Amino acid sequence: MLQESAKASSLERSQGQYQGGPQLIDVTLLKTSKHIVALCGAGLSAESGVPTFRGEGGFWRTFQATELATPKAFEKNPSRVWEFYHYRRELVLTKKPNRAHKALVDFEKKVLSADPKTQTFAVITQNVDGLSSNIKNLIEMHGSLFKTRCTKCGDRRENYDSPIALALKGTENSQFDINLPIEKLPSCSKCKGLLRPDVVWFEECLDNDILMKINVELERCDLLLVIGTSGLVYPAAAYASFVSARGGKIAVFNIEKTYDADFEFIGPCGEVLGNALMVNDGEDKHEVV
């Protein structure tokens, strides 16, 4: 159902029935929307210094992420894949949420503290860095760097250990494979099986429970905030069209034009999101064009 609606909406947009433009979200729309959803991508965390591993410069050592973040790569060389994820974990642990992350947290607090409660708010993130973890109603559609899954018993749990395995300490600074034996890689505290990062790799499907939760949010959504995402990776790339086809409005925040939208904010998310949501450093600054 989601895909069919998305295709129909994409066609209508190409025929010019949806005319987005560089304007600010109407104050009335922001206040009267009943269920607002934020869809976040790599551009949100890039402003915190988190690498996107896409495009030029998207290499780790001599590998692209698409060569490492796959089940086959993990089966072939689990040490190399864990060295990559150890590097990412250690890097993210040095980063902090930026102004755009804070704007989302502040907006959620504003919605939750309103009396009477006339709105609900949810955040769907494609990022795995955990920088949106202060959001209460959060869906991490691709998992988290700081969650593990046992390849033997399936046990899932959070893990912020640094390093996640003692033998990985210092490998983040190496330009060459360390080739650690499996017994020195992260292991399950329950059955001692080999752990893997609990993230969705290329060639893997999203968890059905996660997809169902996302669908519930989008079915209710009447204002979708698309933040820092290029709209190239499915299924998330179809979400804006799905919401639009149901009559919802789309507001895009990105450093370059990506989606056709009802409201468009071109620039760093940290500079424009707070103003648009009227939570800029705690002040309700807003202008309607």
Side-chain angles (χ1 to χ4, degrees), residues 196-211:
R196 58 160 282 180
D198 194 14
V199 297
V200 180
W201 280 333
F202 295 101
E203 303 172 11
E204 290 184 327
C205 296
L206 269 67
D207 184 276
N208 280 332
D209 289 341
I210 294 293
L211 288 174

Side-chain angles (χ1 to χ4, degrees), residues 8 28 40-41 49 79 145 161 183 214 252 281:
T28 302
C40 304
S79 177
L145 292 174
D161 293 347
E183 57 268 21
I214 291 173
V252 171
D281 296 328

Side-chain angles (χ1 to χ4, degrees), residues 128-140:
V128 296
D129 50 53
L131 293 179
S132 294
S133 60
N134 287 329
I135 295 289
K136 296 184 182 301
N137 191 10
L138 175 69
I139 298 175
E140 295 177 311

Side-chain angles (χ1 to χ4, degrees), residues 25-26 30 35-36 48 52-53 77 86 88 110 117 123 132 139 153 157 160 170 185 205-206 223 254 257 269 285:
I25 300 176
D26 184 276
L30 186 63
H35 187 53
I36 302 172
S48 290
T52 63
F53 291 106
N77 195 329
H86 164 71
R88 294 180 67 183
K110 189 175 181 178
K117 297 186 185 303
V123 173
S132 294
I139 298 175
C153 73
R157 60 183 62 199
Y160 282 87
L185 297 177
C205 296
L206 269 67
L223 175 59
N254 208 355
K257 184 175 177 63
C269 299
K285 298 178 182 178

Side-chain angles (χ1 to χ4, degrees), residues 72-167:
K72 291 179 181 178
F74 189 69
E75 181 181 359
K76 180 180 179 181
N77 195 329
S79 177
R80 176 187 294 154
V81 173
W82 261 121
E83 288 167 46
F84 173 56
Y85 278 92
H86 164 71
Y87 161 77
R88 294 180 67 183
R89 284 166 57 98
E90 294 300 307
L91 177 66
V92 169
L93 286 173
T94 69
K95 307 302 179 184
K96 295 181 179 180
N98 59 53
R99 290 179 66 194
H101 290 108
K102 182 179 182 298
L104 291 173
V105 172
D106 289 347
F107 184 72
E108 182 181 56
K109 289 179 180 177
K110 189 175 181 178
V111 169
L112 291 175
S113 63
D115 186 18
K117 297 186 185 303
T118 58
Q119 289 182 318
T120 50
F121 179 61
V123 173
I124 301 169
T125 183
Q126 301 171 79
N127 300 330
V128 296
D129 50 53
L131 293 179
S132 294
S133 60
N134 287 329
I135 295 289
K136 296 184 182 301
N137 191 10
L138 175 69
I139 298 175
E140 295 177 311
M141 62 183 298
H142 293 154
S144 170
L145 292 174
F146 300 100
K147 293 179 182 177
T148 59
R149 183 166 87 241
C150 180
T151 59
K152 184 177 180 181
C153 73
D155 182 63
R156 283 181 155 114
R157 60 183 62 199
E158 282 192 345
N159 186 310
Y160 282 87
D161 293 347
S162 175
I164 189 171
L166 187 60

